[in-house]
């Protein structure tokens, strides 16, 4: 079984909704890193030296490769990445190897078979 790592950077008020949508699309879990910071195409606005940007969360999903695209697209819709500039991004990278996922593999096998 091959995996992809989906990484989503989302506004912190959308974290729970994005996680729930990803789970419905086939993700079996998520790791959240709170209070990530970043800068997009345009610099963040400040007010007397204080940043006015919203906090971001980094969501990490280790998912089976056949489910990854659907989960990625679901995250993008729920996070409104294409609808509103600056709301977040998501991308996927190949995972060469993983340990500690034996229990998930058994659940994923039936999920992938149902999708194919």
């Amino acid at each position: 079984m091959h995996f992809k790592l989906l990484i989503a950077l989302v506004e912190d008020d959308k974290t729970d909704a994005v996680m729930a949508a990803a789970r419905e699309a086939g993700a079996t879990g998520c790791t959240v890193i709170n209070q990530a910071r970043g800068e997009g195409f345009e610099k963040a606005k400040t007010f007397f030296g204080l940043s006015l940007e919203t906090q971001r969360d980094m969501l990490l999903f280790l998912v089976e490769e056949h489910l990854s695209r659907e989960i990625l697209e679901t995250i993008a819709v729920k996070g409104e990445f294409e609808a509103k500039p600056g709301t977040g991004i998501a991308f996927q990278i190949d995972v060469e190897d993983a340990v500690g996922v034996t229990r998930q593999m058994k659940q994923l096998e039936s999920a992938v078979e149902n999708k194919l």
Side-chain angles (χ1 to χ4, degrees), residues 7-80:
I7 300 172
L9 302 165
V10 303
E11 293 177 328
D12 63 348
D13 61 338
K14 293 184 181 182
T15 297
D16 291 334
V18 169
M19 285 175 34
R23 185 171 293 277
E24 288 178 21
T28 56
C30 179
T31 298
V32 179
I33 300 174
N34 293 315
Q35 299 181 354
R37 244 175 25 105
E39 188 173 294
F41 187 66
E42 297 179 17
K43 285 192 169 259
K45 296 179 183 176
T46 61
F47 181 73
F48 292 113
L50 299 173
S51 175
L52 298 177
E53 63 192 21
T54 60
Q55 287 296 319
R56 305 257 186 262
D57 288 338
M58 179 184 289
L59 310 179
L60 305 170
F61 301 93
L62 185 64
V63 301
E64 206 284 326
E65 70 177 340
H66 293 96
L67 304 174
S68 66
R69 185 62 194 181
E70 183 178 343
I71 296 169
L72 186 67
E73 290 173 0
T74 300
I75 288 170
V77 170
K78 196 61 163 182
E80 300 179 296

Side-chain angles (χ1 to χ4, degrees), residues 76-95:
V77 170
K78 196 61 163 182
E80 300 179 296
F81 298 162
E82 298 296 336
K84 296 179 184 176
T87 56
I89 63 169
F91 53 94
Q92 66 181 354
I93 57 176
D94 289 324
V95 174

